[in-house]
Amino acid sequence: MVIANNISSNMILGELHKNTKKKSKAAGELALGEKIRNAGDDASGYAISEKMRVRIRALDQDDQNVQKGSSMLRIAEGAIQSQLDIMKKIKEKVIDAHNDTNTDIDRATIQKELNQSFDEIQQIAWETTFNGKLLLVGNTKAGKMSSWKVLDKPIRIPESEYNFIDAVYDDLDVIFGPFDVFSRYGTHESTIEPLLGDKSSVNLAGGVNNEYIQHDPQEITPATFTWDLSSYLVGDLNGKGFSCGGYNYVLTTDTSKNYKNAIQIDISGLSTTEEIASKIASTLSGKSPVASASVEGSKITFTTNSAANNREYVSGYSEAASTTTVGGEPAHNGRTAANSTNVFSNETVYGTSEEKIYHPAETHTEFDPATDLEKTVVDKEAWYEKTKDATSAVLTKNITSITAGTGITINNSVYLRFEDGSSGLHQDSEGVWVVGKNASVSKTQLKAWREIGDPKAGSTIGVTLTMSGGVLTLETTGKGSSYYINVKNGIEAKTAIPAVPGTPVEYEGITALDTSSVSLSSGGIPKGPIETLPGKEASYTMDLTAYDTTDQDKLTEFVDALVGKCLKSTNGSYYGFIDTTEPNSMEAVQQNKPGQYGTVYDVDLKTLRQAVEDGTSIADAFINLMTSKDSRHFSDGSDGGAGTKALIAKAGYIGESGNDLTLEISESKLAQYTIDFKKVFDEKNPKLPEDLVGKGFRVYCSTCPEQWVNFYFYDGSDEAEEFRPASGSSGADIMTVRVDVINLAHVTDLESFVEAVRTQAGQAIQTIRDGHPHMLAVAGNVEKGTVTIYDTRPFDVLSYPYNTMYPALREKGAKLADQTMDDVIKIDKDIYVNDLVIHHTDRSSQNIHVRIPQTSLDHLFDYVEEYGGIEDYNVMAKESRELLLGTVSTKIENGQTVTKTTRGYLDMAIDYLTGANTLVGAQISRLEMTNNNIITQEENTQSSESTIRDTDMAKSAMSLATAQILAQSGQAMLSQSNKNSSMVLSLLQ
């Protein structure tokens, strides 16, 4: 038997070879730490890994580049910060120099410090480097910076012409042109077809005077009343009283008796009522209200002096019995005489009036803004300066040696007696003042001696008495030369007079008479009435029936016929028709001014338009408008039944004289010039708004020597415009009206341009007028594309007498010229930055541009070396200090307080450096973020590459251990398998 092979051993041997290879591979991975040792291990993984390794090296270089760039920027940052610190110190020194506690020598010393500081800032800019490269000096234009230069005299600004003004006169007023001129002011008769037809004036008609008619009766008929005495008993009438028309009467049989407040009617000896009636009638006749009286038996008929009916004329009168004293005299007080003193004398002292100096009014002359003529202005009213106050009258005497018992008379009404001792001031029983010569008396008002009644109860005389230390002082309570103290030595005796008793008079009592038998008045007929036949008020009727519509074409026709015209009313008032629908147009300007001192009332037809839009007819709207202005002289004459509409102009009063009144139509035109911008745009076809920037024209005043206003179109987004110096800084009489055609107006077409000019120029020129004597104003018509510049004076300055009032009157009045003429010129300067590339990627086109602003002095202080330098900014002159520090000014515009702040060049320089350092700092921050990003990318790429290429040490070690065990086991199994085969073979042998 033959055994050809050993199948088991062959299988074991194959496994052993595999495990040996695995062991070798695992050992190789552990030795290199990589699971891909060559392309044969993993071709795709190997390719990815190699690309990542290239990326990792590139990122490492990017990181180095960014770090170098960051270091460079930090050097620039530190240098700019040093400049900023120096600039802060410079501002501190300028503020110090602006204080007037410094002398010019002090300021010169400060200026030396500033010069060194400026030099240091400039040196920092030109010597700050990184690896030999200048950092603060730019290499790339970043824009333009504009500055302004004030010239010694005005020049025509280059490239500011645009053919806005027609060239009519080559020269005027010995000034080279070309020029055009304003139209002259004028007033002329006119017509308003809807109101007066083709007439410029009409008379009122139909006025009639009032007529007065006196109706019958021509005279009044008096009333009558009766008094029947038949019911009285004669014996009962004695002592009875009655009243009639304000008089009181008493019937008496004894006229020797006294009756109070009554007229006696003597009825003694009368035995019948008929006789008494006659007596009463004769007594009352002729005493109002009785005109006459007649008697029939016991009945009296009284005729009154008026036509009053139903009136009770007679009533009973009573008076109680009384006793009254008549005559007699009251008691008169007496006083004891006193001898003259040994101190006082007969004398009079007076107070003094205040003294003052008259100061006349302080005045100056200035131009009246309404006429541009000189007028006198009172700066301070006339006044009196008080140099000395008014004083009281004072009389002072030392009375310590005065003789007791003597006295004085003060102002002929106060009596003062002196006594020994210190008894206080008092009045004795006679009313004489008494005081001890050693008394102490506080200020006391002296009362006059009273002759009748209480002698101590007199009124004060305006003199006080004070005593202290034996000195007596008399002083008036009032001050001035009209106050005085008169002293007479001694006191004159006055003998007392006892009272004289009066005689008592007894009045009898009066009993009221029963007057029930007296009738009320009747029969009176008043005078006939006066009838007034009213006259008529003169008037004129304006037929408006044709405008009883809301049709817009008719409205336009009506408004066009009225606007700009003036209606003189019957009372002499002027009504000028304007239309403020476009508020800044000439239609909104009241040009109708009948004279220098005339008043024109505005009638705004915009109100008419609005009423028509709301549905009111043109006729009704106009009637309402005029009657609201003056309802006395205008009224609605419409007739609804006849279907007519009319406005009636009235005289305002009744009478024929109203027929002499007239309605008059006139039209005035202010001196003006209209610029046709539509024509200019059609000819030029400008690119808006760029082509208009820097263009302009100028307008010369008609009555001022060499005074003009520039109209200048500018770009409001240009920050340099904020710092433009005022025109006229050289001393020339120039004003500039600026119109922003970009930032504020956003001009895109003719309409927006005209709107910008009429609005901005109109407001600006009004502001100038408030502080400057010129008479120009601006209006415009957007629809027509025109702007009108006009003189606000309501008279022709070229005509007499005004041409004699203006010594500087121009040859043809106001004139205009294309192109601005100014003493301020704009200078443009290129702005540089240092543009540096920081390469942070592996692509040439992908990098970071860091920009470091140039910080040399010309950039900080915005000057062009050709026109000036840092030496222009010094602290020796106030104007220069104000330029450095800035100013704040306040003025009144249109009734409101407006504050204007002009920033100083130091603040602008500090802001420039702060902005530059902020930009550098922001770029440093960006580089730091870029650096962090590069590091992150590098770490992530390394991690990814490691994942792809690096071995898993634990796994490889496990694979090695497994492979070793399996290899050893395979060897053992192979050895065993070979033994088994040998044993079988040996058995078979």
Side-chain angles (χ1 to χ4, degrees):
M1 171 183 276
V2 178
I3 299 175
N5 54 41
N6 190 338
I7 296 174
S8 298
S9 294
N10 289 334
M11 291 177 62
I12 292 171
L13 181 60
E15 291 298 323
L16 176 60
H17 288 162
K18 291 179 182 179
N19 289 325
T20 300
K21 288 181 178 181
K22 289 181 180 180
K23 182 179 72 171
S24 297
K25 183 179 180 181
E29 289 178 358
L30 288 173
L32 296 176
E34 297 177 348
K35 63 183 178 183
I36 300 176
R37 293 166 294 168
N38 50 58
D41 290 338
D42 183 351
S44 62
Y46 175 80
I48 294 172
S49 174
E50 286 301 316
K51 290 179 182 178
M52 286 185 174
R53 287 189 175 190
V54 172
R55 176 64 174 158
I56 289 168
R57 295 190 66 175
L59 288 172
D60 184 59
Q61 186 59 50
D62 291 341
D63 182 37
Q64 293 182 46
N65 290 350
V66 169
Q67 290 186 37
K68 291 176 183 177
S70 180
S71 298
M72 177 185 68
L73 289 179
R74 291 193 184 279
I75 292 175
E77 179 188 31
I80 295 173
Q81 184 61 49
S82 296
Q83 289 178 311
L84 185 58
D85 292 339
I86 295 171
M87 193 61 67
K88 293 176 183 176
K89 184 67 175 179
I90 289 173
K91 182 174 181 180
E92 178 184 335
K93 290 295 182 181
V94 174
I95 293 173
D96 180 15
H98 201 49
N99 192 2
D100 280 340
T101 57
N102 291 298
T103 65
D104 287 343
I105 296 176
D106 297 329
R107 291 190 174 112
T109 301
I110 293 173
Q111 184 60 47
K112 291 178 182 178
E113 295 184 60
L114 296 182
N115 292 340
Q116 294 300 314
S117 298
F118 287 138
D119 290 345
E120 180 61 21
I121 289 175
Q122 189 77 333
Q123 183 174 342
I124 291 172
W126 285 94
E127 294 187 2
T128 300
T129 63
F130 181 83
N131 194 29
K133 182 183 289 292
L134 288 172
L135 297 182
L136 302 183
V137 177
N139 58 11
T140 303
K141 290 182 181 179
K144 286 188 177 295
M145 176 171 62
S146 298
S147 61
W148 301 94
K149 179 68 176 179
V150 176
L151 307 177
D152 294 335
K153 62 181 180 179
I155 65 170
R156 297 172 195 266
I157 303 301
E159 300 181 2
S160 63
E161 66 276 5
Y162 207 70
N163 296 338
F164 293 123
I165 309 300
D166 293 335
V168 178
Y169 300 94
D170 291 335
D171 57 81
L172 284 173
D173 306 308
V174 199
I175 302 174
F176 178 72
F179 298 107
D180 203 351
V181 297
F182 277 33
S183 64
R184 292 175 62 171
Y185 174 89
T187 300
H188 58 85
E189 294 180 352
S190 188
T191 61
I192 300 178
E193 194 280 332
L195 303 186
L196 304 185
D198 59 356
K199 298 182 177 62
S200 61
S201 67
V202 294
N203 275 82
L204 273 60
V208 178
N209 293 331
N210 289 333
E211 184 178 354
Y212 303 98
I213 300 176
Q214 175 70 62
H215 288 275
D216 292 333
Q218 298 291 315
E219 301 294 337
I220 67 167
T221 300
T224 62
F225 66 91
T226 61
W227 186 2
D228 189 353
L229 276 65
S230 60
S231 62
Y232 294 124
L233 297 176
V234 174
D236 292 339
L237 293 177
N238 184 44
K240 299 294 175 59
F242 65 90
S243 297
C244 180
Y247 296 97
N248 300 320
Y249 301 93
V250 61
L251 302 173
T252 180
T253 57
D254 185 357
T255 58
S256 63
K257 293 183 178 180
N258 296 314
Y259 294 95
K260 194 173 185 179
N261 300 326
I263 299 171
Q264 295 185 24
I265 300 178
D266 186 7
I267 59 172
S268 60
L270 304 181
S271 58
T272 65
T273 55
E274 288 83 352
E275 293 174 326
I276 294 176
S278 295
K279 190 68 172 181
I280 292 175
S282 62
T283 303
L284 269 63
S285 183
K287 288 185 174 62
S288 180
V290 176
S292 62
S294 62
V295 178
E296 184 178 347
S298 300
K299 184 178 182 180
I300 309 172
T301 299
F302 296 94
T303 300
T304 66
N305 53 16
S306 70
N309 294 320
N310 298 314
R311 182 174 295 179
E312 181 181 359
Y313 280 105
V314 177
S315 60
Y317 169 73
S318 63
E319 183 76 38
S322 61
T323 302
T324 301
T325 301
V326 178
E329 285 288 334
H332 289 249
N333 299 318
R335 62 176 178 269
T336 305
N339 293 328
S340 298
T341 69
N342 57 339
V343 173
F344 288 90
S345 60
N346 294 335
E347 59 183 309
T348 302
V349 293
Y350 291 89
T352 60
S353 299
E354 68 176 14
E355 295 180 6
K356 50 191 177 181
I357 300 173
Y358 175 74
H359 294 273
E362 298 176 11
T363 63
H364 73 276
T365 58
E366 65 179 33
F367 285 99
D368 184 350
T371 62
D372 205 17
L373 294 173
E374 280 194 350
K375 66 175 182 179
T376 299
V377 178
V378 177
D379 299 316
K380 189 175 183 180
E381 297 290 347
W383 59 291
Y384 287 92
E385 178 186 5
K386 185 166 67 174
T387 57
K388 184 178 180 182
D389 290 331
T391 62
S392 306
V394 178
L395 180 63
T396 301
K397 296 289 184 181
N398 188 323
I399 62 170
T400 53
S401 61
I402 201 167
T403 304
T406 60
I408 58 174
T409 301
I410 304 171
N411 288 4
N412 294 320
S413 58
V414 172
Y415 304 96
L416 176 63
R417 186 173 66 249
F418 301 99
E419 61 184 24
D420 291 329
S422 57
S423 61
L425 180 67
H426 62 281
Q427 288 179 284
D428 63 12
S429 59
E430 293 183 340
V432 174
W433 291 92
V434 181
V435 66
K437 59 184 180 180
N438 296 318
S440 179
V441 181
S442 59
K443 184 177 288 188
T444 302
Q445 286 241 32
L446 298 175
K447 294 181 181 180
W449 180 77
R450 190 172 181 181
E451 184 175 358
I452 297 174
D454 184 356
K456 302 178 182 180
S459 59
T460 58
I461 65 167
V463 176
T464 62
L465 182 147
T466 306
M467 279 188 64
S468 178
V471 176
L472 179 145
T473 300
L474 298 174
E475 182 178 4
T476 58
T477 55
K479 296 180 179 181
S481 58
S482 61
Y483 295 91
Y484 64 91
I485 299 172
N486 172 259
V487 173
K488 294 180 180 177
N489 221 348
I491 299 175
E492 183 181 356
K494 183 74 173 180
T495 303
I497 302 175
V500 177
T503 303
V505 176
E506 294 183 358
Y507 290 101
E508 300 289 334
I510 302 174
T511 304
L513 180 65
D514 179 10
T515 58
S516 59
S517 61
V518 180
S519 68
L520 297 177
S521 61
S522 62
I525 301 175
K527 190 176 182 180
I530 296 176
E531 180 182 1
T532 301
L533 297 180
K536 292 184 179 180
E537 185 176 5
S539 64
Y540 180 85
T541 300
M542 291 170 266
D543 186 1
L544 300 174
T545 306
Y547 296 95
D548 188 16
T549 177
T550 59
D551 181 75
Q552 288 299 309
D553 291 339
K554 295 293 284 186
L555 175 61
T556 300
E557 172 190 313
F558 188 84
V559 171
D560 289 347
L562 270 70
V563 72
K565 309 292 180 61
C566 185
L567 172 64
K568 180 183 178 183
S569 181
T570 56
N571 66 338
S573 297
Y574 292 84
Y575 297 93
F577 297 104
I578 61 173
D579 183 6
T580 62
T581 303
E582 284 197 59
N584 297 312
S585 65
M586 284 304 292
E587 288 77 9
V589 176
Q590 184 56 265
Q591 301 188 66
N592 292 290
K593 298 183 179 179
Q596 185 176 356
Y597 304 105
T599 300
V600 174
Y601 298 99
D602 292 344
V603 181
D604 192 351
L605 298 177
K606 178 182 179 181
T607 304
L608 179 74
R609 291 183 184 273
Q610 293 171 337
V612 174
E613 287 179 7
D614 294 338
T616 305
S617 72
I618 300 169
D620 285 336
F622 185 70
I623 292 169
N624 295 337
L625 180 60
M626 295 307 297
T627 54
S628 68
K629 293 290 182 181
D630 185 356
S631 59
R632 182 177 179 184
H633 296 94
F634 293 104
S635 65
D636 186 353
S638 302
D639 187 340
T644 60
K645 296 290 182 180
L647 174 66
I648 297 178
K650 305 180 294 183
Y653 57 87
I654 291 173
E656 295 177 355
S657 61
N659 297 331
D660 297 328
L661 301 178
T662 60
L663 293 174
E664 299 174 7
I665 305 293
S666 62
E667 182 176 7
S668 299
K669 290 288 185 182
L670 298 171
Q672 57 192 261
Y673 186 91
T674 298
I675 303 174
D676 190 347
F677 285 112
K678 183 178 185 304
K679 177 183 175 183
V680 175
F681 279 32
D682 288 343
E683 293 174 353
K684 294 279 190 178
N685 191 26
K687 181 181 178 182
L688 298 176
E690 295 86 350
D691 288 357
L692 297 176
V693 173
K695 309 302 182 184
F697 57 92
R698 61 191 186 276
V699 181
Y700 289 80
C701 177
S702 62
T703 55
C704 301
E706 294 304 309
Q707 179 193 94
W708 68 88
V709 179
N710 286 318
F711 288 78
Y712 161 67
F713 308 122
Y714 75 102
D715 178 2
S717 63
D718 185 354
E719 294 183 359
E721 290 291 340
E722 180 182 354
F723 305 102
R724 184 186 190 278
S727 296
S729 299
S730 67
D733 194 359
I734 314 170
M735 296 154 284
T736 294
V737 170
R738 302 190 303 156
V739 178
D740 180 359
V741 295
I742 293 183
N743 192 50
L744 184 61
H746 306 293
V747 169
T748 57
D749 51 27
L750 174 63
E751 289 75 12
S752 57
F753 174 71
V754 172
E755 179 62 33
V757 174
R758 75 174 186 176
T759 302
Q760 295 183 47
Q763 293 174 349
I765 206 162
Q766 178 62 46
T767 300
I768 293 175
R769 286 183 61 202
D770 290 343
H772 198 284
H774 82 85
M775 314 306 298
L776 298 178
V778 175
N781 189 305
V782 173
E783 183 178 351
K784 296 179 180 178
T786 61
V787 168
T788 300
I789 303 169
Y790 61 95
D791 191 318
T792 59
R793 284 171 283 200
F795 50 83
D796 182 11
V797 297
L798 296 173
S799 298
Y800 183 81
Y802 305 106
N803 58 1
T804 65
M805 299 178 180
Y806 296 99
L809 182 64
R810 304 291 87 186
E811 180 181 347
K812 291 186 177 296
K815 59 181 177 288
L816 310 88
D818 202 46
Q819 192 177 35
T820 58
M821 186 172 179
D822 214 330
D823 55 4
V824 175
I825 188 170
K826 187 177 183 182
I827 302 168
D828 292 327
K829 172 184 174 58
D830 291 329
I831 300 297
Y832 286 89
V833 297
N834 202 354
D835 193 343
L836 303 169
V837 174
I838 305 298
H839 206 76
H840 71 303
T841 70
D842 52 3
R843 297 289 185 270
S844 63
S845 60
Q846 294 179 337
N847 46 53
I848 297 174
H849 281 259
V850 294
R851 299 166 68 87
I852 305 174
Q854 181 166 327
T855 59
S856 56
L857 288 174
D858 61 328
H859 278 56
L860 297 183
F861 285 90
D862 194 14
Y863 64 80
V864 177
E865 293 181 359
E866 178 183 354
Y867 294 98
I870 195 62
E871 61 274 5
D872 293 335
Y873 304 96
N874 61 77
V875 298
M876 299 306 295
K878 177 182 177 183
E879 293 77 10
S880 181
R881 296 195 299 271
E882 289 178 347
L883 282 175
L884 288 169
L885 295 175
T887 58
V888 177
S889 59
T890 302
K891 62 181 178 179
I892 304 299
E893 291 184 4
N894 299 324
Q896 296 183 340
T897 301
V898 177
T899 300
K900 181 180 180 181
T901 301
T902 301
R903 299 185 68 216
Y905 279 92
L906 286 175
D907 285 337
M908 289 189 289
I910 290 171
D911 288 349
Y912 183 92
L913 290 172
T914 301
N917 229 12
T918 301
L919 175 60
V920 171
Q923 292 174 138
I924 291 174
S925 179
R926 182 192 173 179
L927 291 182
E928 289 177 350
M929 290 187 289
T930 300
N931 185 48
N932 293 335
N933 183 48
I934 289 172
I935 292 173
T936 300
Q937 288 187 58
E938 186 176 7
E939 290 175 349
N940 290 337
T941 303
Q942 287 176 341
S943 176
S944 298
E945 193 274 337
S946 176
T947 301
I948 293 172
R949 193 155 188 163
D950 291 350
T951 186
D952 185 338
M953 300 299 288
K955 184 177 179 181
S956 295
M958 179 62 71
S959 296
L960 176 61
T962 302
Q964 286 177 339
I965 293 170
L966 290 175
Q968 291 174 2
S969 298
Q971 289 174 353
M973 289 176 66
L974 181 60
S975 176
Q976 184 65 40
S977 175
N978 289 334
K979 283 184 178 182
N980 290 337
S981 298
S982 298
M983 290 177 64
V984 171
L985 183 60
S986 66
L987 289 176
L988 292 178
Q989 290 179 349

